[in-house]
Amino acid sequence: SDNVPESVDTLPKLEHIYLPSGSLLIKGPLGEDAKIVEECWKAMDGNKEESKIPNIFKWVGVEIEQGRVTEINWKGQSLKNSIPEAICKLDALKVLRLPKNGIGGPIPKAIGDLKNLVSLNLDSNKLTGQIPDSLQQCKRLQDLIISKNFLEGTFPDC
């Protein structure tokens, strides 16, 4: 386990700490984005460990720019259940990668609310249902990887 001294809170300019284990510690409050990421992780039944250090969140695979979540990469984290609608509230999100998990259910219809999304990788899960038409609202989307699921329908016109 990574040990970080509590004195790290006294470094006012420090924002990120990359640890040998590959974990990322993020110093300071992240507002609503932090709550949404925590809610989504718990909803997908991850085995996330929370740091005991005040004002620091231990997030693996989450990128932050200017205090906003811009990337989630939870590849092969043994996640399951379904993708929570709340993830679609991360309006600064550019990259969402959830491949090689056990996530089931449909792709949320609100996925189209992610207007800044450039890359969506949901490969190798257990997703079912229709490919949502709302994907056509993701005008910046360049990479869409949804193979090895149980999805139906055609790709929306983009």
Side-chain angles (χ1 to χ4, degrees):
S1 123
D2 299 306
N3 294 318
V4 179
E6 288 188 34
S7 61
V8 76
D9 274 343
T10 64
L11 302 170
K13 300 264 185 199
L14 183 68
E15 293 181 5
H16 304 93
I17 305 169
Y18 295 92
L19 301 169
S21 68
S23 297
L24 165 65
L25 294 180
I26 302 158
K27 183 174 183 283
L30 292 173
E32 192 63 27
D33 280 8
K35 293 174 191 168
I36 293 170
V37 170
E38 292 291 335
E39 175 186 334
C40 291
W41 181 272
K42 289 176 185 172
M44 289 189 283
D45 198 27
N47 295 316
K48 186 171 176 156
E49 297 175 19
E50 293 186 29
S51 174
K52 305 232 186 296
I53 303 169
N55 298 320
I56 294 179
F57 300 96
K58 184 175 183 180
W59 290 351
V60 176
V62 178
E63 294 288 326
I64 308 294
E65 290 177 19
Q66 299 176 343
R68 302 295 312 275
V69 174
T70 58
E71 181 173 335
I72 296 176
N73 184 359
W74 288 339
K75 177 182 177 181
Q77 295 292 316
S78 300
L79 300 175
K80 47 190 173 187
N81 297 329
S82 60
I83 301 171
E85 290 276 336
I87 209 163
C88 301
K89 294 178 185 175
L90 295 170
D91 57 5
L93 195 64
K94 296 176 186 174
V95 176
L96 178 58
R97 293 187 184 119
L98 304 173
K100 298 186 179 182
N101 284 291
I103 301 168
I107 297 172
K109 290 186 181 358
I111 198 81
D113 293 346
L114 297 174
K115 306 290 187 222
N116 292 305
L117 198 64
V118 174
S119 179
L120 177 62
N121 185 343
L122 304 174
D123 181 60
S124 301
N125 279 290
K126 298 176 182 177
L127 295 169
T128 59
Q130 295 290 316
I131 299 168
D133 288 336
S134 63
L135 275 172
Q136 65 189 335
Q137 296 170 14
C138 300
K139 300 295 184 193
R140 297 181 181 186
L141 190 63
Q142 296 174 9
D143 299 311
L144 175 61
I145 306 168
I146 55 175
S147 58
K148 299 180 185 171
N149 282 291
F150 304 98
L151 296 166
E152 300 174 2
T154 59
F155 290 100
D157 293 330
C158 296

